[in-house]
Amino acid sequence: MPRQPLALAPFRGLRYTDLDIGRILDSGEYGVAHLLAPPYDVPDPEETLELLRSDPHNAARLTVPYQLNLTMPGSCGGRPARFIYENAAVRLNTWIDEGVLAQDPEDTLYVYEQVTAAGVRQRGLIGALDLPSATEPGPVRPHEQVDRMPVLDRFWLMRSTRANLEPIFLLYPGGNGATTRVTEDAERRGTLLVDTRTADGTRHRLWALTDPAAHSEIEADLAPRTALIADGHHRYTAYQRMHELGGDPGWAYGLAYLVDSDTHPPTLGAIHRVVPALSADRAVASARSVARVEHLGSSSLADAERALAKADHPVLLLADPRGGFHLVSDFDPRPLAEATPSRSDAYRELPTTALHHLLLPLWERPDHDLRMVHDDAARAIETARQEEGTAVIVPPLRVEQVYAVAERGELTPRKSTSFGPKPRSGLVMRVLP
């Protein structure tokens, strides 16, 4: 059976109407920035509450409605959790009725550019991703396992709101193809819709491509290609479930942001783990049975992270919140192979493979007991102190490692990657009629 082509269809995006260009806030943001939010699963609860309090129309009020209800004791009134998603649908429709949000008048592909405070530039294309049916081979390749509850969470939110409120993030090796050329020429071929800067110093620009000729160039260029899910595995799985339900042709598509990784190589951050109620002494003793463990003495966190970066994969750093670091490397290949009998060498080289298949069973800890901390090792160590546990500092993967696993049809352990820069939620949404 031939593979379905990779396709991003133009659509009438739902966007904020009051861009308020140039208004500088106390936070340092200006324009529409105070209405935008990171993807729903990135902020911790405190950061999410800050977003919810920042503006009565912040996008987080749609994308994380359960957190909003937690700030309002008794707001569910004993009703089932589905009420939370119905509440989000009411909020979305109210904003549309009040003119806070409105659909663009023409079918559009959107060029979205981010330039971080550090000067990292990423530019890609936002469109409606054509989803394969359950019986068709598809062009989109996941690389990470998903959990049932986050998928259900996104499924119910989509079903209640009849909307894709934030895009998934896809990568593809574009090799300066027509899609890349059109996207890079957005200043000339598109219409600038948004130019704003968020409090973290990142500049966000959005252009509309409404020219059917540009759409045709992109369609022909993307058709033979494949794409990797960089971020949004749970949302993509929810897309698939909505599509499989049938009944509404609108669910044959899902909102996506596609970036050429040849032109704009992504950054890969780390996702560290905290194992609550696990002493560092016990963690280290167990690790010695399957790997080489080196005590780094009185090293600072910066020195320990440098040692971690220099070691061959798979490698991990165990951090005792009372002080002290242990580098865990040279895992015994025999138990690693026995724990992953049907997996490739590329899979066994991942640090999260050693953690999830060898160390967690030794520590008698299930994956769902872990606390995840994006990027910030110091914060992970502090969280471990609060949880009376041990922090596992995980090195970021390389892009080629992720491609190698995905090309074999394998999935990395949950939360193995943190691609960036991630698209901000609220710039463009997609609603079904």
Side-chain angles (χ1 to χ4, degrees):
M1 181 184 296
R3 176 182 62 75
Q4 177 177 321
L6 178 65
L8 277 186
F11 68 105
R12 294 174 58 206
L14 183 73
R15 299 189 299 108
Y16 286 103
T17 56
D18 183 10
L19 300 183
D20 204 10
I21 298 298
R23 183 166 74 97
I24 300 176
L25 307 178
D26 292 340
S27 63
E29 299 172 315
Y30 68 83
V32 73
H34 63 293
L35 301 173
L36 307 182
Y40 78 101
D41 58 346
V42 171
D44 64 22
E46 289 186 4
E47 292 167 335
T48 301
L49 288 177
E50 289 180 11
L51 288 167
L52 296 174
R53 293 167 180 153
S54 66
D55 192 282
H57 297 112
N58 187 278
R61 290 177 172 264
L62 300 175
T63 60
V64 283
Y66 48 84
Q67 188 70 43
L68 182 61
N69 276 271
L70 289 177
T71 69
M72 300 157 59
S75 61
C76 289
R79 283 169 280 185
R82 197 176 303 177
F83 163 73
I84 296 174
Y85 305 110
E86 294 168 353
N87 207 27
V90 170
R91 188 175 300 116
L92 174 65
N93 291 326
T94 298
W95 290 3
I96 294 172
D97 291 343
E98 293 176 347
V100 175
L101 297 169
Q103 279 187 282
D104 286 325
E106 298 180 78
D107 285 342
T108 304
L109 289 173
Y110 299 87
V111 176
Y112 174 33
E113 180 189 76
Q114 299 153 281
V115 181
T116 70
V120 176
R121 176 177 171 269
Q122 178 172 275
R123 184 180 284 198
L125 198 64
I126 296 177
L129 175 69
D130 192 358
L131 302 170
S133 71
T135 59
E136 291 179 304
V140 176
R141 296 179 177 174
H143 75 270
E144 195 169 89
Q145 297 174 10
V146 297
D147 286 343
R148 177 175 174 271
M149 291 309 296
V151 171
L152 286 176
D153 165 54
R154 294 299 95 180
F155 172 86
W156 281 113
L157 183 61
M158 291 176 197
R159 188 168 186 175
S160 297
T161 59
R162 290 183 55 78
N164 301 140
L165 298 173
E166 49 188 352
I168 63 172
F169 180 14
L170 302 178
L171 296 173
Y172 78 110
N176 197 34
T179 302
T180 301
R181 293 195 298 273
V182 171
T183 301
E184 292 299 304
D185 198 22
E187 286 89 342
R188 185 178 68 85
R189 301 189 65 166
T191 301
L192 183 64
L193 301 175
V194 175
D195 185 354
T196 193
R197 193 181 307 274
T198 44
D200 62 0
T202 300
R203 185 182 185 186
H204 304 263
R205 291 195 290 175
L206 187 76
W207 292 267
L209 289 176
T210 57
D211 181 8
H215 298 170
S216 296
E217 288 180 63
I218 291 167
E219 180 182 12
D221 177 61
L222 290 182
R225 301 181 185 275
T226 60
L228 175 78
I229 301 177
D231 187 62
H233 285 82
H234 294 97
R235 280 166 281 167
Y236 182 73
T237 304
Y239 287 173
Q240 291 176 308
R241 293 195 180 182
M242 292 300 304
H243 184 23
E244 289 166 7
L245 285 178
D248 191 324
W251 292 122
Y253 299 86
L255 190 61
Y257 172 50
L258 180 69
V259 172
D260 174 3
S261 60
D262 290 338
T263 303
H264 299 287
T267 58
L268 263 82
I271 304 179
H272 308 301
R273 272 69 167 168
V274 173
V275 189
L278 175 70
S279 72
D281 291 342
R282 181 187 169 193
V284 168
S286 299
R288 290 189 192 279
S289 67
V290 293
R292 176 173 176 263
V293 179
E294 178 186 357
H295 182 226
L296 299 182
S298 58
S299 298
S300 66
L301 174 57
D303 289 339
E305 288 186 300
R306 278 191 284 270
L308 180 68
K310 292 178 182 177
D312 291 332
H313 284 200
V315 59
L316 298 160
L317 186 68
L318 301 183
D320 185 341
R322 300 168 301 179
F325 300 94
H326 289 82
L327 193 70
V328 184
S329 61
D330 295 334
F331 284 85
D332 188 336
R334 179 175 296 179
L336 191 56
E338 290 174 351
T340 56
S342 61
R343 301 304 185 103
S344 66
D345 289 341
Y347 181 85
R348 292 177 186 140
E349 289 174 0
L350 304 178
T352 47
T353 295
L355 172 61
H356 286 257
H357 288 277
L358 289 184
L359 295 184
L360 289 185
L362 287 172
W363 296 338
E364 299 178 324
R365 291 295 194 278
D367 172 63
H368 59 75
D369 274 1
L370 304 182
R371 309 286 187 269
M372 305 291 181
V373 178
H374 286 251
D375 298 320
D376 192 338
R379 185 172 155 204
I381 294 170
E382 172 58 23
T383 303
R385 185 190 65 77
Q386 296 171 1
E387 298 279 353
E388 298 182 348
T390 298
V392 184
I393 309 305
V394 182
L397 301 186
R398 300 184 298 274
V399 177
E400 56 268 24
Q401 285 182 290
V402 183
Y403 274 127
V405 170
E407 286 291 332
R408 292 171 170 82
E410 296 178 321
L411 301 177
T412 67
R414 186 175 72 92
K415 295 295 183 182
S416 288
T417 61
S418 178
F419 283 92
K422 299 183 191 300
R424 283 273 167 155
S425 302
L427 273 174
V428 183
M429 293 169 265
R430 174 177 173 264
V431 290
L432 275 65

